[in-house]
Amino acid sequence: GAGVSQSPSNKVTEKGKDVELRCDPISGHTALYWYRQSLGQGLEFLIYFQGNSAPDKSGLPSDRFSAERTGGSVSTLTIQRTQQEDSAVYLCASSRLLAGGRFTNTQYFGPGTRLTVL
Amino acid sequence: AQSVTQLGSHVSVSEGALVLLRCNYSSSVPPYLFWYVQYPNQGLQLLLKYTTGATLVKGINGFEAEFKKSETSFHLTKPSAHMSDAAEYFCAVSEASNFGNEKLTFGTGTRLTIIP
């Protein structure tokens, strides 16, 4: 079946502009994660969604970052007033809940969105 | 808090030689451990994972890893390197969790180069 998809694959923007990054998880996956991969910080967790529960936003680096997940499926990561240090690859991952309420522990990653802030 | 240390940001091995990528972790609770591979301009692909049970875990492409609790290690090995193994490898840890957040904490990665 289809994997996790992300759009756009590349985004170049000017400092101070807002950007939206989209993630389509694998159908039926209830858990969705955003990560950021940058030269300076490596791979780091940003935010986690699970069903209708309140998201874990503990990894968001500043209040310029926000994310939502509509209808328990598609997610959008928004960065307001972008800065050059926001330049990175933003990765989305999803995983599914097994019968009995356990997750598979396997997160499936999308190809990422490469964001360049000029 | 959890952390992962990967020793060696760059490793080079000859084609056909043993591949050994080192990973040590720190976790206050029983960990789940993972190795992911990333090819250029691609996302992360799971190689293998340890959750519970057998401590020697076999993954795709001939890779395996052994969970050693006493050494807090989860080193990745492959007996014979192939040119197609050239990529970046990430070790990761998450807390064992039912119903909850299994966010991954990654190491800084090891770039594997295969010498013909």
Side-chain angles (χ1 to χ4, degrees):
Chain A
V4 176
S5 61
Q6 294 186 245
S7 60
S9 56
N10 282 283
K11 176 72 176 178
V12 180
T13 190
E14 294 179 347
K15 178 182 174 181
K17 300 286 190 181
D18 298 351
V19 295
E20 286 190 351
L21 312 179
R22 176 187 169 106
C23 172
D24 280 90
I26 294 172
S27 177
H29 282 198
T30 58
L32 187 148
Y33 302 78
W34 283 97
Y35 295 88
R36 180 169 71 173
Q37 186 174 24
S38 60
L39 285 176
Q41 302 298 322
L43 269 160
E44 54 183 346
F45 165 79
L46 296 178
I47 188 168
Y48 160 77
F49 294 93
Q50 159 50 18
N52 295 320
S53 302
D56 174 5
K57 304 179 182 179
S58 61
L60 295 179
S62 78
D63 58 8
R64 296 185 295 104
F65 288 72
S66 62
E68 63 177 18
R69 189 177 184 193
T70 54
S73 181
V74 171
S75 177
T76 302
L77 178 68
T78 301
I79 309 173
Q80 295 178 310
R81 305 180 303 280
T82 52
Q83 304 294 312
Q84 288 182 332
E85 60 263 28
D86 300 334
S87 296
V89 176
Y90 290 82
L91 294 167
C92 175
S94 68
S95 64
R96 70 181 177 95
L97 197 64
L98 295 175
R102 290 186 60 86
F103 283 96
T104 66
N105 317 112
T106 298
Q107 295 178 29
Y108 295 88
F109 283 80
T113 294
R114 182 175 298 276
L115 175 66
T116 302
V117 182
L118 302 177
Chain B
Q2 300 173 302
S3 66
V4 175
T5 302
Q6 291 184 242
L7 294 176
S9 58
H10 291 85
V11 171
S12 295
V13 301
S14 298
E15 190 175 15
L18 171 71
V19 175
L20 170 61
L21 304 183
R22 299 179 186 273
C23 173
N24 288 86
Y25 71 92
S26 172
S27 178
S28 57
V29 298
Y32 290 163
L33 295 160
F34 306 81
W35 276 98
Y36 281 87
V37 61
Q38 186 176 37
Y39 297 101
N41 300 314
Q42 295 187 26
L44 298 168
Q45 180 182 8
L46 181 70
L47 275 178
L48 48 80
K49 65 181 181 183
Y50 167 80
T51 54
T52 58
T55 57
L56 182 62
V57 179
K58 295 186 184 299
I60 62 171
N61 301 338
F63 284 93
E64 62 182 37
E66 186 171 10
F67 169 58
K68 292 186 176 181
K69 184 177 179 181
S70 61
E71 298 177 8
T72 61
S73 68
F74 192 57
H75 302 329
L76 181 71
T77 61
K78 181 174 180 177
S80 177
H82 191 274
M83 295 301 294
S84 60
D85 295 328
E88 188 145 20
Y89 292 79
F90 293 92
C91 182
V93 63
S94 73
E95 290 185 2
S97 173
N98 292 333
F99 303 98
N101 189 340
E102 297 179 340
K103 62 187 176 185
L104 295 167
T105 299
F106 287 91
T108 52
T110 298
R111 184 169 299 278
L112 178 64
T113 300
I114 309 299
I115 304 167

